[in-house]
Amino acid sequence: MLMKNAILTAVAASLSLVAATGCSEYGGGAVTVPEVTFILDASSETSGAADTGDTILPVGNLRGRVVMTNAPQLPLLVSSGAAIKDAEVCAAVDVPDERLMVGANGGVSNVFVYLPKKPKGSRPAEAAGETMIFDQKNCRFYPHTMIVPVNRTVRVLSGDAVAHNTHTYPSKNNAVNSGVAPNDREGKLEIVYGKSESVPLAVKCDYHAWMNAWHLPLDHQFGAVTSEAGEFEIADLPVGTHSFIVWHEAARGNFVERKLEVEIKEGETTELQIDFAAASLQEL
Amino acid sequence: MLLSVFLMLKQDQDDEWRSYQRTAFDIDASMRSQDLENLQTKQYQNEVNRLDAELAEAQSELTEAKLDDAGLFESLDSQIRLVEGLELELKFQNSDRDEARANYDLAVRDAMPDEVLRSALLAYEERQKICDDKQIVIDMEQDKLAELQTKVKQLTSRVADLEAEKTKVTAEADRVLASLENIAPSSTVSSLKRSLMELPIIDGFNSHLKVVQDWVPGLDITLGMATIARFDRCRTCHLNIDKTASGGVPAYPAGHPETEDLQDWVKAGEFPQPFSTHPNTDLYCSASSPHPVGKFGCTICHDGQGSGTSFGNAEHSPNDPQIADEWHHEYGFHPNHFWEYPMQPERFIESGCIKCHHSVQELGVHPEYGASAPKVVRGWQLIQKYGCYGCHEIHGYDGGEAIGPDLRVEPQTAEEAAAVAADPSQVAGKLRKVGPSLRHIAQKTTSEFIQYWTEIPQRYRPSTKMPQFFALHDHLPDAEASHTAGLEADELAGIATVLMTGSEEMELLVPADGYAPDVSRGETLFTERGCVACHQHSAVPESKADFGPNISDIHRKLKRNSDDPSFSDWLYTWLREPERYHTKTRMPNLYLDAYPDTDGETMIDPAADITAFLLAQGDAETFPASQYTDSELDELVVLYLSKGRFGLEAAQEIAASGNFPQARDSVIGDEIVLATEDGSPADAEAWKQMKLQYVGKKTISRYGCYACHEVPGYEDARPIGVALQDWGRKDTSKLGFEHIEEYLHHHGEPASSEFDSTHERILTARKKAKAGGLEQGQFDENEAESELSASYFFDSLQRHGRAGFLWQKLRGPRSYDYKKADTKGYADRLRMPKFPLQEDEIEAIATFVLGLVAEPPPTEYVYKPDVREKTRIEGEFLLAKYNCTGCHVVELPKITFAGDLTELESTPLTAGDHQVALEQLLKIRPPSNGRTGQTHSMELFGDKVDLDVASFHGMVTLKPDPEKEDPEFREYGFEVWEPVEFGDAEQSRLLLPGSPVTFLESQLLDYQDARGGRFAELLVDKLLSWRKVDQRKLAWQAAPPPLYQEGIKVQPDWLYSFLLEPGKIRYTTVLRMPRFNMTPQEARTLANYFAAVDGAEFPYEEQLPRDKDYLTEREQQLVSAGHMQTGQDYLGDSWALLNGPLCIKCHSVGSRKFKASDPAKDIQGPNLNEVQNRLRSDWVKLWLYRPSWITPYTSMPVNFAKNAEQFPDKFSGDPDAHVIAVRDALMNYSTLLEDVGPVVYEPPAAKGTEAAAGGED
């Protein structure tokens, strides 16, 4: 109820704004920004309604790279041929320890860079897209890290001839722990996150306890995971200063940065290098 | 004479109860008026006005109609009269006919001639015809009448309907008005009549002012020597004591209103005594409570003089002297020494409970009433903690009949136990001695430490519960104090000598040859293996457990190995096998057996590592021995010998000469240690040892050391203190107050106190109380409580009351010997030691002890629980006795929050969920109601809102991030652990176990800690910080499991065996369930306890999956559903499923072993061979369907999701059939292993049609 009232107030304010300026698209020239008090409900954001109530600001982009020098070399998680459970599948190939993957140029992959909540003045989130795929092969999850928009369906597949189970450890969503049949290319198991989480959640397979992945459900589009080269890009950020969370599973306390302040300028792409010191790694 | 009569009448009329009743009626009238006001709202008035207007209109219409058609109404009247007249005539004619018939019958009986018969019959027939004719006329006239009535009714119906409607609308108000009229009539006549009924003499004729009396024939009262019926007239003044409003809540809630205006009371809904209702009417007084006032009266619980109808005669007791002063001022109160049972003051109100509640436990923990009498329970627990019953028996039985709580030491020898068991009039004590055994003390510590410790135990360990026997000299003059100190030095040396020489050799265990203990691993294992579930240690400051002693200091006192001062074989043995040292120890066997390290070869000996860790805290200490002198030793020897059968001179002679005049064989008693084998003199050194032994033995007997400790040679010794089972009725003239007042005038407070004496302390307290006490800021809150309490006890002491005596006895046990040294011999002085008790603990103990009256009411009043409740009560006792709740959560935390419940959504069922599983879940765990029905006003996002208050049981998953300042991001997350319904009649919002509930920090209203499981939580935190696991849920799998709803899970028979000999169940835990010194009876009770609290069946017998009929039926079901061919082996296929490539992933199964990959990370489930004996079949089914609905943190996945196709070739791939088949195979495990043997089932692998994402790797 409470939320609805807030939304109504905001909707009314934004309608009057549209009427006053005659501007219905973002970036339509300088406008006087009226004072609109919008109260976001942090616990149950369903972004659609909220978007309509906010003043849309001009945007810029953020492009960056997470870099580590003198990164430690982790031994393989599983060596090919090791005498482990389901070795014919799980030890068929070498499996790297994905807790820390650093490229040749020092780029750290699998780093989450995201805003804790939808910033004011941002464009509405796009409608729920296609089903996302979460796969496994040789007892390894693909991808190792992913940002999942809320209410998007994640279909869990398996290309292994052995059974797996997919076990999520969310804080605000219903946990899933269900078996995945061998070679399930249809994806009988579906995961849907209804709510944003404040930090990425672990996904494991209890049958093969070394299998590990991370999902971050977000109710906005302002988050990215670094690529193999350690690069990421977040587009269409409203102008102004934003405070990003930089999160990595192997960082001590999991945060590379709790509040990384970045200024976004209209129409520009802010370039950023985030140094992830090897010294701030937890014991691996 | 006449004057006297008038005086008597006057006095009678002035009785205070009349004025109370008048006030009560005034309150009632005021309440009714308010009710009336509340009922007669504007809307109500409008409605009544509308009806009145319509009624008036209808009536005028009716009047007009009557005028218009006067003939109709007149005809109706005359027709009614006509019909009535005819009916009357018919009645007469009917009786004439009856007479004629009777005449005919008589003629027949008398066999009259035919003509007589004929004429009689004729006469009858004539009469009958007249009647019949008349009836026809009546019927015709009635038809006419009905016609007329219908016409009239058409005219009058509107008035009638409106009148009925008005009655309906005003019914409640009319009812209130009528009751108001009854109490406060509005008419002068009624009012006068009511006043008249209050006049003398007339008031004898059922006046509204009258004595209200509860006669409780079953609960006689003993006054002096006579036993008479109990009449309680308390309700004469406390008129509203049992009155409840709708919902069973008190109609007149008790309170302390600020004004004396009863209108204010009514407005505030808060009433002073004697106009208020009893608190907790669900438990007391009301007719639906377990203690209805009509059956119990008042004084059986409260004491006091029930027949009294004035404040003074009722024998009220003030709660402190300040209240006494107020009462004196207001009611002329003064304590009456002549009534045996004055009312219990408020502070001891719970004393009365144990008259009927002999097991006490239910007053502390009750599923419906919670902790109904926490103070008396605390007293009872303290007595058990400190072992008071070792010296002071509290015998709850008289000739086998229960008379009160029973706190006694269990039989100490097999012979004693057998003798008690054989005697039907005896019931054995159940409690163990509270201290450790001293049977093998010489291997544990040194003689010097024994002396140092015994003298002042708290000096070594401030938290010890061992009381202080020595160095209590405050009450003695200086010279006597130093003399006593001298004698005590000899006694201490004597005790140590007896214990060391009497100590029996015990074979010690030692670690494997060459084992090098690892101190740092020892430190981890110390926590992981559960030591801190009972003990505190400075190395683990998070532990607050106090079940066992704080052992931060044990490195100081323990004897080290002579060849290795960093190790103690004794400690190692104690850790490995505590019962070897002390057969009845509370320390369990923790199964600290050596095990191979992850390399599979190097052995780890956890007991050795922990031993090394504990001893590495510091060096062993050398303690000073008591500085005793020979002359004082001789003085004691002479004292004891001369108290025995020797004269003073003879005793002196023996002490000096070292020559006891008898050979050892002929001596009986402690003197035996003074005698040599042949009666010859002992040499000087031996004689000294012999004297020390003699004094030591006398001292042990005098102080009763064996009351708490097992001491060799004292197995048959009896308790030395006064029995307490009827101390609450002890004749106060038999209490030795001696010079206590004088003592407290000069002493009585500890050195740390700001007061020089108790007297000064009490004077100060009284002054502060007089000056306005807490309200005027004279006291701070705690101080008011403690100082007024002390004032109460001091006052009681001055009046030679039991409570005061007990208070000072526990504060300064030897103080009653003040100025008695001259007339009391050393050995006759008081022996009671000083316990480290706080004054509030003393008060709790007093509450319990004062309730020990040994006056059991008739058996129908004694609390007799049914089997389930009895099991629960006894189980609760055992949970505490063995500290089960130290490790295990038995009730989950209760979370109460304010929120918009319409925002909650029912837990969605996914395509993988089975509907039947949900039904099964709700059957064995019916949903609780999350709505409390209350609302909470708060500010949220800047708005003032009213939110619903809801609560549920669950575990915290998310705490507000301390680094986030924005309240919007400060959130709590919980996981519900029970099906809980937050919806209303319109829409269900059912959350299933494992569902998250998150809200802002400010919305959390209350967090009630879990009951039990402190250690589990500590361990979870530790395991997370030690990075062995990265998820809280995984850490929980490594910790002792919550025993939440254990009763619906396990089979009591299995649990019974498990408690006696706990086998290894889990591989994920870092510790094992230890083995306690539990008797089979205790194990049985505890096993049934869990079933009892969860409402599960016990003893458990259901073995459906093993039943042949069931299996046949199941086969037929599967055949008709097309999942099986006729003749196919159902159990055989089920066994194959169980042995397929799923269960083996985590469990050893069907003689195949679990394949480990990384022992540090692998999740190995429990062995499946025990399931059939361990778990209930319904539970197993639900577990297989959806494990997280039972234990949200489990790693066990849903293996047979509704939409999955794990094994398409079995039972047509039906997942539902798979679940039941696996359950049935599990429940027939041993038979199948025996009959079918190990099998390996490989299902046809599902074929992939496209490459997986990592397919190229």
Side-chain angles (χ1 to χ4, degrees), chain A residues 19-87:
Chain A
T21 58
C23 164
S24 59
E25 274 294 324
Y26 75 96
V31 287
T32 317
V33 181
E35 279 190 31
V36 178
T37 314
F38 180 73
I39 302 147
L40 255 181
D41 181 346
S43 61
S44 67
E45 306 91 322
T46 40
S47 50
D51 290 330
T52 58
D54 219 344
T55 312
I56 291 167
L57 295 175
V59 297
N61 301 325
L62 172 67
R63 191 182 308 143
R65 197 160 163 267
V66 181
V67 182
M68 180 181 284
T69 47
N70 301 325
Q73 190 63 43
L74 297 189
L76 286 174
L77 192 62
V78 178
S79 314
S80 167
I84 55 170
K85 194 195 288 183
D86 296 329

Side-chain angles (χ1 to χ4, degrees), chain B residues 229 240 296 299 339 413 449 479 623 634 653 752 810 948 979 1087 1164:
Chain B
N240 296 331
F296 284 80
T299 56
W339 184 255
T413 58
F449 175 74
F623 294 93
D634 282 354
E653 168 61 24
S752 57
L810 290 170
D948 289 318
Q1164 182 178 358

Side-chain angles (χ1 to χ4, degrees), chain B residues 337-415:
Chain B
H337 292 284
F338 300 107
W339 184 255
E340 286 178 64
Y341 314 123
M343 222 177 283
Q344 295 288 3
E346 196 183 340
R347 69 180 68 251
F348 297 138
I349 199 71
E350 295 169 15
S351 294
C353 305
I354 58 176
K355 265 186 214 167
C356 300
H357 291 270
H358 298 164
S359 41
V360 190
Q361 186 76 59
E362 68 271 20
L363 304 171
V365 185
H366 192 278
E368 196 172 346
Y369 303 113
S372 52
K375 196 193 245 183
V376 76
V377 171
R378 187 173 179 218
W380 174 70
Q381 286 167 338
L382 283 165
I383 284 175
Q384 291 174 73
K385 175 179 174 183
Y386 288 105
C388 310
Y389 57 83
C391 290
H392 301 282
E393 266 200 345
I394 299 172
H395 204 315
Y397 296 91
D398 183 6
E401 186 199 342
I403 56 167
D406 185 57
L407 295 171
R408 282 175 300 139
V409 173
E410 62 200 349
Q412 291 301 296
T413 58
E415 296 76 38

Side-chain angles (χ1 to χ4, degrees), chain A residues 167 169 175 177, chain B residues 892 921 924-925 955 975-979 992-995 1032-1034 1036-1046 1048-1049 1066 1068 1174-1175 1179 1182-1184 1186-1198:
Chain A
H167 190 170
Y169 291 84
N177 182 10
Chain B
L892 281 154
L921 168 70
I924 67 172
R925 290 172 69 171
M955 281 210 187
E975 194 164 52
V976 302
W977 267 60
E978 60 190 356
L992 302 179
S995 297
R1032 205 169 179 81
K1033 286 184 170 184
L1034 292 175
W1036 266 106
Q1037 291 183 36
L1043 300 179
Y1044 184 68
Q1045 308 243 330
E1046 186 76 358
I1048 58 170
K1049 173 179 178 181
R1066 293 170 209 284
T1068 50
R1174 181 174 153 234
L1175 302 170
W1179 186 94
L1182 179 57
W1183 177 253
L1184 291 167
R1186 184 71 196 250
S1188 64
W1189 280 350
I1190 291 173
T1191 308
Y1193 67 61
T1194 185
S1195 273
M1196 167 93 171
V1198 174

Side-chain angles (χ1 to χ4, degrees), chain B residues 870-886:
Chain B
K870 185 167 182 284
T871 307
R872 192 191 69 76
I873 291 169
E874 290 174 356
E876 287 290 348
F877 180 80
L878 295 172
L879 283 190
K881 178 172 179 182
Y882 293 108
N883 197 27
C884 308
T885 46

Side-chain angles (χ1 to χ4, degrees), chain B residues 223-283:
Chain B
L223 297 173
M225 307 293 280
T227 299
I228 57 164
R230 189 182 293 264
F231 288 93
D232 285 350
R233 296 179 178 143
C234 313
R235 288 204 287 151
T236 302
C237 298
H238 297 270
L239 214 52
N240 296 331
I241 205 73
D242 62 333
K243 294 198 177 144
T244 53
S246 68
V249 297
Y252 303 84
H256 300 282
E258 284 173 9
T259 72
E260 298 205 347
D261 183 348
L262 64 86
Q263 302 297 344
D264 291 343
W265 307 346
V266 172
K267 262 184 218 145
E270 191 176 75
F271 301 88
Q273 293 278 24
F275 309 109
S276 54
T277 306
H278 200 288
N280 303 343
T281 36
D282 57 335
L283 194 49

